[in-house]
Amino acid sequence: MPQKTNKISCEECTTTSCFVKKTNPQWLAKISEFKNQVVYPKGQYIFSEGSPVFGAYFIQSGDVKIVSSSFSGRQNIVRLAKNGHMMGHKGVAKENYPVGAVALNDARVCFLNNELLYDAFLNNTHFTIEIMMFYSKELRKSEMRNKFFAQMTTDEKVAYAIVYAGEIVGQKNNKGQIMITLSRQELAQIAGTNAEQVSRTISHMKNDGLLSLDGRCICIESLPEMYNLLSEYEQFI
Amino acid sequence: MPQKTNKISCEECTTTSCFVKKTNPQWLAKISEFKNQVVYPKGQYIFSEGSPVFGAYFIQSGDVKIVSSSFSGRQNIVRLAKNGHMMGHKGVAKENYPVGAVALNDARVCFLNNELLYDAFLNNTHFTIEIMMFYSKELRKSEMRNKFFAQMTTDEKVAYAIVYAGEIVGQKNNKGQIMITLSRQELAQIAGTNAEQVSRTISHMKNDGLLSLDGRCICIESLPEMYNLLSEYEQFI
DNA sequence: CGTGCTTTTGAATAGTATCAAGGCCGGTGG
DNA sequence: CCACCGGCCTTGATACTATTCAAAAGCACG
């Protein structure tokens, strides 16, 4: 169950990349006062597919996966998000955009309802512009992903999923290498394939010395070589 | 070659959905004065892949395809755009986002340079918010497209490409049916497949009475049945 | 009326998903 | 502490879909 702990105010929050930090001081205080904050434990749904969202979520700490499942039951990871990222914003129109958000580890998340958010947009030009830029960049990445996924082999898609996961939710071990704790199934849901293919690709890469395994945990041995596999597609990570 | 004709000012422009219309009257006049306007004939590049873009383009009339080709030479249509749409905006950061825009028919396009644009953002809150919403919606569509393309069959992707093309660049004939003049190759570049598969799928659909052909031009006989093919994916068009 | 490009259709090939079985690991209870 | 159980992971065999290659037909252009 989500835990209500003491709320960490925007003034004392150390997540410098959070968009809310772009508002002016009095608005930062106002948002800090009216925002809702919850700590979600690992595996917990922050919001579910299908249920309407009346505001936006800003991640203060922790990692989150944004998922979307089709009626045939297949689930898909739309993107990964970490501190400073924004999610759940639907604009004004209540379109049907069935995504849910699940905490990958304990995640502290702030919620701003639509009234507060829209008011903030109207009174904080730089805040609005920053969020516009964020969407613009994400759109570009998504379009590139679209384009490249149409021509990548499965191996390349899996390589992409591993590198992408490493960037957002990877943790450095004592050698400075990036460790990824996502399951094969979750990587498959990023790459748009199935767990078996992910497993096969990981085996190949292990034999080639690009990765090593620590139990089920994936360790990237050679990040440059991983990028090299994706060199044809380098624009979109 | 692009033609410089008499500029149609923002005040006399009839494209009501253009974002520039969201600015206040004095800014509308200012943008109208400082914007650059060019009429591009069919097939002409409005901007090319690789060359940096120092502003944003707003389509006043005509249709445009946004293309992106990979180093292996495969070209891909990222999206289609028509009057009222915005394109080419890169935000502030000069990232590498190699897309080009090609006129599908004679297209009248307005260009606003970054200084003018950014100044307009700072002084027209509603303008900025509208563009933010636009990107937000486009991002959602792109993510849905990503998700569904990972699980659609080629036939379904082609059906999507035809319906999508019909929505944006389709023209009604005297029976009220939608006609599409894109080539098989172009449809393949939307669907993420090749011209042969598009041709096969079109043949199937012709046999099933969903489409008819007028020379090379595709005519949608039964739009409901086309949508029906995509009913599992209906969120994202 | 020919030339070149697009479209259509067929056949061969390659790649990927699916199905199935066995192995590994962590957790639980005796 | 050990045995068992269940879930995740790995690997192989098979079937199928889609891409590629190739060739013929159709259409538009000079």
Side-chain angles (χ1 to χ4, degrees), chain B residues 38-102:
Chain B
V38 178
V39 176
Y40 298 88
K42 178 178 179 173
Q44 179 80 29
Y45 266 88
I46 297 163
F47 55 91
S48 320
E49 299 183 53
S51 56
V53 177
F54 299 110
Y57 296 85
F58 297 84
I59 304 173
Q60 192 172 91
S61 63
D63 301 318
V64 175
K65 63 176 177 182
I66 317 290
V67 300
S68 178
S69 55
S70 57
F71 88 124
S72 55
R74 280 181 61 145
Q75 204 181 60
N76 181 284
I77 294 180
V78 173
R79 66 172 180 275
L80 299 172
K82 63 177 176 181
N83 62 41
H85 288 204
M86 177 184 176
M87 57 191 186
H89 179 221
K90 293 200 171 202
V92 182
K94 44 179 177 185
E95 301 145 48
N96 195 13
Y97 179 48
V99 297
V102 181

Side-chain angles (χ1 to χ4, degrees), chain A residues 137-200:
Chain A
K137 272 184 231 164
E138 288 293 316
L139 175 60
R140 238 166 288 161
K141 279 197 270 185
S142 181
E143 285 178 343
M144 284 291 122
R145 209 175 99 130
N146 248 316
K147 168 189 162 186
F148 288 129
F149 265 42
Q151 44 189 272
M152 279 201 248
T153 65
T154 299
D155 275 12
E156 290 169 333
K157 288 185 208 174
V158 172
Y160 162 73
I162 291 173
V163 171
Y164 174 68
E167 295 231 343
I168 313 248
V169 301
Q171 293 172 350
K172 295 216 168 157
N173 66 9
N174 46 22
K175 293 185 207 162
Q177 296 168 323
I178 297 168
M179 310 280 293
I180 297 154
T181 56
L182 295 181
S183 71
R184 307 293 180 264
Q185 183 65 37
E186 285 173 319
L187 288 170
Q189 287 166 359
I190 297 171
T193 180
N194 52 40
E196 294 96 321
Q197 295 294 344
V198 172
S199 185
R200 280 182 238 276

Side-chain angles (χ1 to χ4, degrees), chain B residues 153-154 192-194 196-197 200 216:
Chain B
T153 64
T154 299
T193 180
N194 51 40
E196 293 96 322
Q197 295 294 341
R200 280 182 238 276
R216 288 163 175 177

Side-chain angles (χ1 to χ4, degrees), chain A residues 68-118:
Chain A
S68 177
S69 53
S70 58
F71 88 124
S72 57
R74 282 179 60 145
Q75 205 182 58
N76 181 283
I77 294 180
V78 172
R79 65 172 181 274
L80 299 171
K82 63 177 177 181
N83 61 42
H85 287 204
M86 176 183 178
M87 56 191 186
H89 180 221
K90 290 199 173 204
V92 183
K94 44 179 176 185
E95 303 146 47
N96 195 15
Y97 179 48
V99 298
V102 181
L104 288 167
N105 41 45
D106 293 2
R108 183 179 291 265
V109 178
C110 303
F111 176 77
L112 276 63
N113 68 47
N114 269 335
E115 291 72 38
L116 182 61
L117 192 64
Y118 202 77

